[in-house]
């Protein structure tokens, strides 16, 4: 299986090549829906996950609710 | 008391509209820094706040902390105001706001763009840039700003319906460091929704801001870091009510000289010298 490296929440991670964002999230086992994603500092709406291809060296941020002031 | 129908129908001064919602508490409260989730829930309920600030952080797969927290906040039946805490540029703040809108399903955003790590002062230039973008994207921007009158005007020009000038630096508890500037903003924008955000340390600080005519108070540390956050939540509830009623009633004119409260005429033993 061909892999590429990406950064997920600032950690370098090897993932299969040619994944969509939907595939990546399944691969990473993100099951809940209370998170949001940005790639290379740009927000990716949930409606675009399927159409978004993961590329080598992408910087992917996955965030969820937490306490705030 | 003889209430005429006119008086009886007068809406409570506590009622206000912010971001399209009509609310009865002038307190906005943070959800961070509490010693336990139970303390957070208890303090928020005791404070009577109807708006709770929340945030977003990185989360790994399988980590349930975000879901647990979010379920707890939803159970409070409050409106949520997501923030962009930790952002240092307009770009970061814009992306965070967009992610927050999707996760929390609200177009409200407490826009924070920090310009200085020492006092966590907002960066006015990046704040304005992010505000212009987000207003055009349909966000209701609650900008955390300094008490600078010119910046306030620029934010209003950019489309803000709400301004949130700081009382003093975040978490300092120093109260209203520059009442003159805060008052100048109030006088310049008499119809705008103004909320003092940051620096409130004691209920008396909240009273001071509301007596000045500010519409609301946003705080977190003052309640969360009290040894008894639930009781302090109650104290702020009372303080906010006191400040709003005082402003609604109107305060007396200050005088330089003493003036007796008790009528002098007919005082026993009184005689003219």
């Amino acid at each position: 299986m061909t892999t590429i490296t990406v950064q997920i929440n600032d950690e370098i991670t090897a993932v299969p090549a040619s994944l969509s964002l939907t595939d990546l999230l399944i691969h990473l086992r993100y099951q809940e829906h209370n998170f949001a994603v940005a790639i290379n500092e740009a927000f990716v709406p949930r409606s675009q996950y399927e159409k978004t291809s993961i590329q080598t060296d992408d910087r992917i941020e996955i965030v969820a609710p937490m306490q705030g002031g | 008391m003889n209430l005429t129908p006119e008086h009886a129908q007068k809406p409570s001064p506590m009622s206000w509209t912010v971001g399209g919602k009509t609310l009865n508490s002038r307190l906005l409260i943070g959800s961070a820094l509490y010693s336990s989730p139970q303390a957070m829930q208890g303090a928020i309920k005791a404070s009577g706040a109807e708006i709770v600030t929340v945030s977003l952080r990185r989360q790994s797969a399988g980590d349930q902390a975000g879901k647990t927290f979010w379920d707890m906040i939803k159970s409070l039946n409050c409106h949520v105001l997501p923030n962009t805490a930790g952002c240092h540029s307009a770009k970061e703040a814009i992306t965070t706001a967009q992610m927050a809108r999707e996760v929390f399903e609200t177009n409200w955003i407490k826009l924070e763009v920090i310009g200085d790590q020492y006092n966590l002062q907002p960066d006015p230039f990046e704040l304005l840039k992010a505000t212009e973008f987000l207003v055009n994207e349909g966000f209701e921007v609650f900008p955390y700003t300094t008490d600078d009158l010119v910046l306030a005007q620029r934010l209003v020009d950019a489309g803000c319906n709400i301004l949130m000038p700081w009382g003093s630096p975040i978490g300092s508890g120093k109260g209203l460091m520059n009442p003159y500037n805060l008052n100048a903003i109030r006088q310049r924008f008499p119809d705008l929704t103004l909320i003092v955000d940051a620096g409130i340390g004691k209920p008396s600080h909240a009273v001071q801001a509301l007596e000045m005519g500010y519409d609301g108070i946003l705080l977190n540390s003052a309640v969360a870091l009290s040894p008894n956050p639930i009781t302090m939540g109650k104290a702020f509830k009372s303080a906010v009510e006191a400040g709003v009623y005082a402003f609604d009633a109107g305060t007396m004119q200050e005088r330089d000289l003493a003036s007796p409260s008790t009528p002098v005429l007919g005082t026993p033993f009184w005689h003219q010298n």
Side-chain angles (χ1 to χ4, degrees), chain A residues 10-54:
Chain A
D10 212 31
E11 283 190 16
I12 296 171
T13 309
V15 299
S18 310
L19 292 184
S20 69
L21 179 52
T22 302
D23 298 333
L24 176 71
L25 292 166
I26 292 169
H27 174 78
L28 296 172
R29 299 188 179 160
Y30 277 88
Q31 290 167 336
E32 299 294 338
H33 287 277
N34 53 313
F35 60 81
V37 179
I39 298 180
N40 303 326
E41 294 184 30
F43 169 59
V44 183
R46 196 167 289 275
S47 59
Q48 298 299 309
Y49 285 3
E50 196 64 51
K51 295 178 194 162
T52 303
S53 304
I54 302 302

Side-chain angles (χ1 to χ4, degrees), chain A residues 9-10 28-30 32 34-38 41-46 49 61-69, chain B residues 30-32 53-61 64 66-67 69-70 83 91 95 98-99 102-104 110 220:
Chain A
N9 287 346
D10 212 31
L28 296 172
R29 299 188 179 160
Y30 277 88
E32 299 294 338
N34 53 313
F35 60 81
V37 179
E41 294 184 30
F43 169 59
V44 183
R46 196 167 289 275
Y49 285 3
E61 299 280 346
I62 305 172
V63 296
M66 78 161 272
Q67 296 87 342
Chain B
S31 55
T53 56
V54 293
S55 193
L56 286 173
R57 284 295 178 274
R58 287 170 171 163
Q59 183 168 285
S60 54
Q64 292 296 303
K67 183 181 185 312
F69 168 71
W70 185 217
N83 69 27
K91 186 174 172 53
T95 303
Q98 291 169 323
M99 291 195 286
E102 187 175 78
V103 168
F104 296 111
K110 176 186 167 183
N220 191 155

Side-chain angles (χ1 to χ4, degrees), chain B residues 4-204:
Chain B
T4 63
E6 191 182 323
H7 282 111
Q9 284 168 14
K10 190 183 170 194
S12 161
M14 290 303 294
S15 173
W16 66 316
T17 301
V18 59
K21 308 281 182 196
T22 300
L23 305 174
N24 291 301
S25 168
R26 305 299 191 96
L27 188 61
L28 296 80
I29 196 164
S31 55
L33 301 174
Y34 295 89
S35 56
S36 69
Q38 292 70 30
M40 178 194 78
Q41 281 183 307
I44 293 173
K45 280 183 191 164
S47 75
E50 294 169 291
I51 299 177
V52 178
T53 56
V54 293
S55 193
L56 286 173
R57 284 295 178 274
R58 287 170 171 163
Q59 183 168 285
S60 54
D63 184 349
Q64 292 296 303
K67 183 181 185 312
T68 305
F69 168 71
W70 185 217
D71 287 345
M72 197 173 285
I73 292 294
K74 282 193 285 192
S75 74
L76 292 168
N77 286 321
C78 290
H79 299 285
V80 292
L81 175 58
N83 69 27
T84 62
C87 292
H88 289 78
S89 69
K91 186 174 172 53
E92 287 174 8
I94 289 166
T95 303
T96 303
Q98 291 169 323
M99 291 195 286
R101 179 161 63 177
E102 187 175 78
V103 168
F104 296 111
E105 298 176 329
T106 175
N107 68 337
W108 289 7
I109 193 74
K110 176 186 167 183
L111 188 59
E112 293 183 50
V113 189
I114 299 302
D116 187 275
Q117 271 311 110
Y118 175 70
N119 65 358
L120 300 179
Q121 181 168 338
D123 181 323
F125 308 101
E126 293 296 301
L127 176 67
L128 184 58
K129 205 189 300 179
T131 297
E132 286 166 344
F133 184 92
L134 292 170
V135 166
N136 283 333
E137 288 263 301
F139 281 86
E140 185 74 73
V141 176
F142 293 59
Y144 162 60
T145 177
T146 60
D147 51 23
D148 185 297
L149 186 60
V150 177
L151 175 57
Q153 182 66 63
R154 295 282 188 273
L155 291 166
V156 171
D157 293 344
C160 286
N161 302 307
I162 300 152
L163 292 179
M164 300 207 300
W166 67 353
S168 47
I170 295 172
S172 69
K174 290 183 179 297
L176 310 188
M177 284 199 314
N178 198 331
Y180 175 88
N181 276 9
L182 290 171
N183 192 45
I185 293 173
R186 178 70 287 175
Q187 298 307 317
R188 181 64 59 89
F189 306 104
D191 300 321
L192 200 73
T193 298
L194 295 178
I195 297 164
V196 170
D197 176 14
I200 300 289
K202 297 185 280 197
S204 55

